[in-house]
Amino acid sequence: MLYQTLVDIYEKLNATSKRLEKTSILSAFLKNLQDNDVEQVILLLQGIVFPIWDERRLGIADKLVIHAINIATGKSPEFIEQKWKELGDIGDVSANCVQKKTQATLFSNELTLSKVFTNMQQLVSFTGEGTVDKKTALVAELLTNATSSQAKYIARTALGDLRIGLGDGTLRDSIVWACFSQQIGLVYNQAENDVKLDEEQRKKYNEYTNLVQSAYDKTTDFSLVLEKARKGEEALKKITITPGLPLNVMLYQKAQNIADAFATVGQPASIEYKYDGFRLQIHKIKEKILLFTRRLENVTSQFPDISKEAKLAINATNAILEAEIVGYDISSGKYLPFQNISMRIQRKHDIESTAAKYPVHIILFDLLYLDGRDCTVLHYHDRTELLAGICAQSKTFYLAQKIITSDEKEAAEFYNKSLLNGNEGVMMKNLSSPYQPGSRVGYGVKVKSVMDALDVVIVGAEWGEGKRSKWLSSFVIACKNKDEYPAIGRVGTGFKEKAEEGTAFAEMTELLKPHIKPQEGREVQIKPAIVIEVHYEEIQQSPSTAAGYALRFPRFVRLRPDRRPEDASTLAEIQKLFTQQRGRTKNI
Ligand code: AMP
């Protein structure tokens, strides 16, 4: 397949903001793909060349791409930098420079999809001296043979920011449309931008959507899902949990208090300590251990200590376990707040010494797969029994503390005990529920000491004034609603002036800089990428925010590098909290 065919799709997707139209464009394209193009196309549509859970990342710097544009087009670095300032996006700069190539290329070879894909993948294969030059040459080679529009997407793919507005939801729906529209009787009316479905068709549509979503949640691999869906419903249904492929984790709803929690999960319930660390999927495949965060990042290299423990402690050939990883203070043995180990997640150097300095406990709370058996379909009670049976507990590797009770008083005592032990609260879980990957279904709820905490995404900010002019401040925060991130206000307090005191404005600015959208003036928009936890006093209805709600007195508490923007608190949750809060006030 020619790369241009994919570029045409990028451009078409970019040209419309209508989700149904995007779905229609993409589904027609996916339907007619050759089998051997599926994997590369699906990855490149997501702007990546390695699956999300692969340890390999392109990690290409702006400078390298600028140099490659210089080699490919003969434009001077100064000219390219100037254009970058004007246009704000290196993809657009690349397109602009290629349009005006000054070095005549005698033999322009038309780029194929696999040539682009292979060159991109090769970018990670070099180490040692000359690495930067070799990488630059690979990107330059592509740009030399590219048309203007191809150059735009080559640069953006190298930098890992495609900017075509394609979310997971649209990709999933496109697979449903591409493979099952006949079964559903689905026809897209472009003039009206609508699909008309009667009740029966709607039911079928939902069934197929759930089927595709469930296959994705079990494997987080859209290439695999499309490959099977193209073969038909039966092939798709056979997709199952596979050690090595991280699953989308089950999420827990928030309960107001213990009575509310019992009302959701039933009585008796299992009540576990809610440890304040980060969630980890531990995959054991014979002698190999793979570790994934809930963002599906492969962090195996960062935690050799966990792999070592897991190999010794898990008595199974193949298994997938879930654990909370908590840092502890070496001298006092006490748990440390999440921030203290969060830096281990991104660590690339000095891994062993950091592991020794910031040791962790591995606290297991679920079992999702065991020696050929998909355990997610089992009841919580059976899963945790099996888990206890296969794990040799040690000082650092153990099962979450829990009780099973129907009694509110006993539950409240356990909750207090959990807080006294330095935890965040408790998790309350329905004893006979399955594990549903990827959803927040209410099979378990969290009861936290701080009720009014939300995970929000930063989508904008303001450059400061005077001595703060190098820093971003007054961050616009947003919740998640389907594929969108509507704002729920601004947060400016809780950040520190100096790094020694905690998360400082300077650190926030560095984190956010790569995600700033090109813009004039002090006010900037920011691509949803960074998740933070905020506390607040109250939720108010507000006509002036995109979400229709605003937080009163929001305060930054901590960064959440273990969360993706998709994991942020949802608009529906905020609506629920708003009504619960009104209920609370009424009762007083
Ligand atoms: P929250 O981070 O407030 O959304 O609460 C859910 C998170 O609590 C999970 O994603 C886990 O990382 C963490 N957690 C801590 N202890 C447990 C436990 N016993 N069971 C399940 N999740 C836990």
Side-chain angles (χ1 to χ4, degrees):
M1 182 171 129
L2 291 177
Y3 184 54
Q4 185 59 42
T5 315
L6 178 66
V7 168
D8 288 341
I9 297 296
Y10 286 151
E11 297 278 32
K12 282 188 194 163
L13 292 173
N14 216 1
T16 174
S17 57
K18 294 179 193 144
R19 182 160 166 180
L20 289 179
E21 198 176 343
K22 279 189 201 273
T23 312
S24 162
I25 295 164
L26 197 54
S27 62
F29 175 60
L30 297 180
K31 196 172 179 170
N32 297 317
L33 280 181
Q34 300 281 342
D35 284 344
N36 54 358
D37 289 330
V38 166
E39 193 180 346
Q40 298 186 350
V41 162
I42 288 287
L43 289 175
L44 286 172
L45 277 170
Q46 298 174 88
I48 48 183
V49 291
F50 298 108
I52 316 166
W53 64 89
D54 196 302
E55 271 191 297
R56 291 167 295 178
R57 288 271 173 281
L58 290 189
I60 297 296
D62 296 336
K63 272 219 172 97
L64 190 147
V65 177
I66 289 175
H67 191 192
I69 299 174
N70 160 251
I71 296 173
T73 66
K75 293 281 170 200
S76 71
E78 296 73 32
F79 175 85
I80 300 170
E81 297 254 3
Q82 180 53 38
K83 274 279 156 215
W84 187 20
K85 280 204 187 107
E86 264 169 47
L87 302 173
D89 166 50
I90 300 194
D92 290 338
V93 174
S94 179
N96 181 287
C97 292
V98 164
Q99 212 163 42
K100 302 182 185 134
K101 262 186 208 173
T102 51
Q103 282 175 348
T105 35
L106 290 177
F107 306 102
S108 259
N109 295 318
E110 203 163 356
L111 286 173
T112 61
L113 181 85
S114 49
K115 172 68 185 163
V116 174
F117 190 83
T118 317
N119 269 33
M120 291 282 175
Q121 280 207 332
Q122 274 178 358
L123 288 172
V124 300
S125 61
F126 308 114
T127 48
E129 216 173 296
T131 296
V132 174
D133 289 344
K134 286 180 200 154
K135 287 184 180 180
T136 313
L138 278 178
V139 179
E141 185 199 4
L142 293 177
L143 292 176
T144 305
N145 293 309
T147 62
S148 176
S149 58
Q150 291 169 2
K152 169 157 75 183
Y153 293 103
I154 288 167
R156 289 186 181 172
T157 306
L159 293 169
D161 185 7
L162 210 49
R163 300 180 179 215
I164 54 164
L166 177 65
D168 281 2
T170 310
L171 194 48
R172 177 204 61 203
D173 291 351
S174 305
I175 296 177
V176 176
W177 289 30
C179 305
F180 302 111
S181 52
Q182 243 177 358
Q183 288 86 329
I184 300 167
L186 181 148
V187 181
Y188 172 62
N189 181 332
Q190 189 171 6
E192 292 178 24
N193 182 37
D194 197 10
V195 276
K196 293 217 163 39
L197 299 174
D198 62 29
E199 208 175 313
E200 186 59 25
Q201 289 173 316
R202 170 68 52 195
K203 209 172 126 220
K204 276 196 186 155
Y205 184 89
N206 290 342
E207 275 168 21
Y208 283 110
T209 306
N210 290 341
L211 192 60
V212 171
Q213 181 69 46
S214 153
Y216 177 68
D217 285 334
K218 285 179 187 168
T219 54
T220 55
D221 184 343
F222 273 125
S223 309
L224 180 72
V225 173
L226 176 61
E227 185 200 315
K228 298 294 180 198
R230 279 157 54 103
K231 294 200 173 115
E233 194 175 334
E234 287 315 307
L236 186 62
K237 279 185 178 155
K238 287 203 183 103
I239 285 190
T240 175
I241 293 172
T242 316
L245 293 182
L247 302 68
N248 258 336
V249 297
M250 180 165 81
L251 301 165
Y252 301 95
Q253 294 177 356
K254 200 171 193 173
Q256 284 289 332
N257 49 38
I258 286 175
D260 182 30
F262 270 129
T264 308
V265 299
Q267 278 163 301
S270 171
I271 311 184
E272 299 177 357
Y273 278 0
K274 183 180 189 313
Y275 301 90
D276 182 17
F278 69 94
R279 189 167 183 169
L280 195 72
Q281 256 176 60
I282 305 177
H283 290 230
K284 179 165 192 286
I285 313 161
K286 298 200 177 109
E287 284 314 300
K288 192 162 103 186
I289 299 286
L290 290 174
L291 308 172
F292 302 101
T293 64
R294 66 179 268 179
R295 300 180 61 144
L296 314 177
E297 282 165 334
N298 185 330
V299 289
T300 313
S301 314
Q302 286 91 314
F303 294 94
D305 43 340
I306 299 182
S307 295
K308 199 170 143 205
E309 283 280 339
K311 261 186 217 165
L312 293 173
I314 303 171
N315 184 14
T317 314
N318 295 308
I320 304 176
L321 289 69
E322 268 206 300
E324 187 76 359
I325 306 302
V326 190
Y328 65 92
D329 184 90
I330 306 177
S331 46
S332 69
K334 282 206 170 132
Y335 290 149
L336 293 170
F338 169 74
Q339 291 96 303
N340 293 58
I341 47 157
S342 68
M343 89 292 239
R344 282 195 63 188
I345 299 175
Q346 266 112 27
R347 198 92 196 167
K348 295 275 177 294
H349 309 287
D350 306 323
I351 303 253
E352 296 286 343
S353 58
T354 319
K357 206 159 144 202
Y358 299 101
V360 293
H361 281 186
I362 302 128
I363 306 154
L364 305 161
F365 60 82
D366 222 323
L367 176 70
L368 313 183
Y369 182 92
L370 179 62
D371 290 332
R373 190 168 175 198
D374 173 357
C375 299
T376 60
V377 293
L378 303 178
H379 290 179
Y380 161 88
H381 193 260
D382 299 336
R383 295 199 307 275
T384 43
E385 293 261 294
L386 280 174
L387 177 68
I390 60 158
C391 288
Q393 299 195 56
S394 69
K395 267 191 187 159
T396 52
F397 200 91
Y398 52 90
L399 299 169
Q401 291 267 8
K402 68 172 176 198
I403 57 166
I404 292 176
T405 183
S406 299
D407 184 49
E408 268 190 42
K409 198 163 153 253
E410 203 182 331
E413 275 163 17
F414 190 72
Y415 170 82
N416 287 332
K417 197 170 138 198
S418 178
L419 291 187
L420 276 176
N421 278 290
N423 301 310
E424 271 193 304
V426 290
M427 306 296 296
M428 295 185 45
K429 300 179 180 177
N430 179 311
L431 294 176
S432 49
S433 288
Y435 183 101
Q436 196 156 320
S439 30
R440 204 184 284 278
V441 271
Y443 294 160
V445 295
K446 53 194 178 195
V447 188
K448 286 210 224 181
S449 56
V450 181
M451 294 306 303
D452 300 327
L454 287 174
D455 291 328
V456 292
V457 187
I458 298 183
V459 294
E462 206 179 70
W463 288 107
E465 283 182 304
K467 78 176 176 52
R468 290 176 162 219
S469 65
K470 285 208 181 77
W471 295 344
L472 289 171
S473 57
S474 186
F475 305 97
V476 181
I477 48 177
C479 59
K480 181 174 152 60
N481 188 26
K482 303 202 175 86
D483 277 347
E484 293 181 353
Y485 295 94
I488 46 164
R490 281 180 181 272
V491 59
T493 46
F495 302 97
K496 307 290 182 215
E497 296 275 328
K498 294 184 191 140
E500 308 85 79
E501 297 163 351
T503 306
F505 284 107
E507 182 185 350
M508 289 301 296
T509 307
E510 282 311 305
L511 276 175
L512 292 166
K513 245 188 206 164
H515 308 292
I516 295 179
K517 295 185 187 170
Q519 224 158 350
E520 292 289 317
R522 281 177 53 210
E523 190 69 38
V524 295
Q525 286 182 357
I526 296 176
K527 223 184 97 202
I530 304 294
V531 179
I532 60 172
E533 184 177 318
V534 291
H535 289 178
Y536 59 92
E537 206 110 291
E538 199 189 4
I539 298 173
Q540 299 174 318
Q541 275 181 317
S542 163
S544 58
T545 63
Y549 294 91
L551 303 185
R552 196 170 128 90
F553 301 134
R555 185 166 59 82
F556 168 84
V557 181
R558 58 179 167 172
L559 288 168
R560 296 291 336 203
D562 57 328
R563 301 280 149 101
R564 292 174 296 182
E566 299 91 289
D567 300 327
S569 305
T570 62
L571 182 57
E573 280 179 284
I574 289 171
Q575 272 157 347
K576 191 168 166 219
L577 286 169
F578 174 73
T579 30
Q580 282 172 342
Q581 159 194 296
R582 295 217 326 208
R584 252 186 346 196
T585 345
K586 252 191 236 150
N587 287 339
I588 291 171

